[in-house]
Amino acid sequence: MRLLKLGILDQSPIGTGENATTALWHTIELARRAERLGYSRFWVSEHHDSGSLAGSSPEVLLSAIGSHTSHIRIGSGGVLLPHYSPYKVAENFRILEGLYPGRVDLGIGRAPGGMPLSSLALRGDGASSRDDKLPEMLAELGAYLETGAPLPKEHPLAGLTATPKVGTAPEIWLLGSSGFSAALAGRMGAKFSFAQFINGNGGQSATSEYSRGYRPGPLGRRPQVSVCVFVICADSDLTAEREAKAMDLRLLQQEKGEYFRSFPTPEEAAAYPYTEWERARIAENRKRMIVGGPARVRSSLLALADSYRTDEVLIACMMSDFRLRLRCYELLADLFFLRR
């Protein structure tokens, strides 16, 4: 029987009637459960100036998650490197690796993680000047983490050491939703995770391009592919579809730039007066989601993994109630015998 490794990407959603503190503690509780259920890794995201997602600092949240778990891999999904100094990112993850050796993943993204004003606040005067420097920033990060070559002598920061000096280094992943990100990961030697939960098209060709063009580089020596997808799994297809309709409306809100709104309830989604254009967008966005009861979800996840030629899928589950999210992850663990 075909088995999969399953990981989790948690975005710390703030549910109806909840606040950010509750959402953060739900993330920690979910990490505890994920470890007991047998999930391979637990990643947290980075979003800024959001009224519906509480995770703005993955490094801080990972420090707390690590202290409440003992062996599951923990990581960022991901740190938005263009906002930051590679040196500071390296030191943050050296600390995490020192605290939780052999368990840390440094997932790196290049998306803004919010609206333009938050990018301006994070980057200061260089708000629009760093994206084209991402390969240089990645090479610099690899030098500080000692996964790549030292900085050349002519570099103004040559000889600089990221502390603390610890005996292990995090796994480095590039996260992306395009062929550009996949090709960059292959050139830099990073592992690569395709964000199908962001872009429902082109992931298979992007990961194939990554595998064909991979070469060891400053971020790693061996290729590895995973895919991350929204999954809404419940005890029945009917319950899953009811929850998925709320997610449909949430994705429409995001496309309109409505990041400040709380997550819609299934009742709000049922009452919403959709236009023809919005219904077309919902149909397109369903490519980013797997929805259904256990039997439907299991076959869909196996088919997805086969299409990506990977043995690991990361799950992002958004549902209207934290108990339903927990149930989703419990059902998936049973489907794929994670607790064996």
Side-chain angles (χ1 to χ4, degrees):
M1 181 178 290
R2 170 76 186 280
L3 301 179
L4 282 183
K5 291 188 291 184
L6 297 182
I8 292 175
L9 170 64
D10 189 60
Q11 297 181 310
S12 303
I14 303 172
T16 302
E18 297 177 349
N19 57 33
T21 298
T22 302
L24 293 171
W25 281 104
H26 279 167
T27 290
I28 291 172
E29 175 58 23
L30 182 56
R32 290 195 195 107
R33 297 285 189 100
E35 182 169 80
R36 293 199 295 269
L37 290 170
Y39 282 85
S40 58
R41 62 186 87 232
F42 189 92
W43 287 0
V44 294
S45 62
E46 179 179 336
H47 293 89
H48 299 285
D49 196 23
S50 172
S52 58
L53 300 173
S56 58
S57 178
E59 302 94 330
V60 175
L61 190 50
L62 288 173
S63 187
I65 290 169
S67 71
H68 285 84
T69 56
S70 62
H71 60 269
I72 191 172
R73 294 197 67 87
I74 58 174
S76 56
V79 168
L80 305 178
L81 185 61
H83 290 327
Y84 307 118
S85 151
Y87 184 68
K88 183 60 174 175
V89 172
E91 293 206 318
N92 283 339
F93 277 82
R94 276 187 178 268
I95 290 228
L96 287 169
E97 188 68 29
L99 291 170
Y100 313 113
R103 294 177 56 197
V104 178
D105 298 330
L106 170 50
I108 299 165
R110 64 186 184 94
M115 300 301 284
L117 202 59
S118 63
S119 294
L120 179 62
L122 288 162
R123 303 190 195 184
D125 292 339
S128 62
S129 63
R130 294 185 192 164
D131 293 308
D132 59 348
K133 296 182 180 178
L134 185 57
E136 297 173 31
M137 298 176 77
L138 291 169
E140 187 179 336
L141 180 67
Y144 296 139
L145 291 173
E146 299 179 350
T147 57
L151 294 175
K153 292 181 180 179
E154 62 273 16
H155 195 285
L157 299 177
L160 180 62
T161 299
T163 56
K165 296 283 284 184
V166 294
T168 56
E171 283 189 6
I172 304 178
W173 292 74
L174 285 193
L175 319 178
S177 57
S178 68
F180 174 86
S181 297
L184 179 60
R187 291 199 306 271
M188 302 301 292
K191 304 176 189 302
F192 180 65
S193 184
F194 187 84
Q196 180 151 327
F197 73 102
I198 294 175
N199 179 8
N201 298 298
Q204 292 85 350
S205 60
T207 52
S208 293
E209 179 183 355
Y210 162 80
S211 297
R212 287 194 303 269
Y214 183 89
R215 63 176 184 263
L219 302 183
R221 312 301 296 176
R222 292 186 301 159
Q224 188 172 338
V225 167
S226 70
V227 56
C228 184
V229 65
F230 284 127
V231 175
I232 298 177
C233 184
D235 289 287
S236 70
D237 290 344
L238 185 64
T239 301
E241 184 60 33
R242 179 176 179 270
E243 290 292 322
K245 289 184 185 302
M247 190 64 186
D248 291 335
L249 181 54
R250 172 58 181 167
L251 295 178
L252 284 176
Q253 291 173 345
Q254 289 180 337
E255 290 180 354
K256 295 176 182 179
E258 297 173 355
Y259 292 96
F260 299 95
R261 299 184 58 173
S262 61
F263 278 88
T265 65
E267 292 75 19
E268 289 171 330
Y272 188 88
Y274 296 98
T275 66
E276 286 303 311
W277 178 86
E278 287 172 330
R279 293 188 185 282
R281 289 306 306 155
I282 286 172
E284 181 67 19
N285 284 334
R286 281 297 181 104
K287 297 177 182 178
R288 301 157 61 181
M289 304 161 59
I290 290 175
V291 179
R296 181 185 295 179
V297 166
R298 186 178 189 280
S299 62
S300 296
L301 279 173
L302 287 172
L304 182 75
D306 285 343
S307 72
Y308 278 89
R309 299 182 179 179
T310 183
D311 66 353
E312 183 171 19
V313 177
L314 273 74
I315 308 300
C317 177
M318 296 283 199
M319 300 177 80
S320 63
D321 187 284
F322 181 60
R323 290 167 296 184
L324 289 174
R325 288 170 61 210
L326 288 178
R327 181 59 178 156
C328 173
Y329 289 118
E330 289 170 353
L331 288 169
L332 293 174
D334 290 340
L335 285 173
F336 292 97
F337 302 98
L338 302 185
R339 289 187 265 197
R340 63 189 183 280

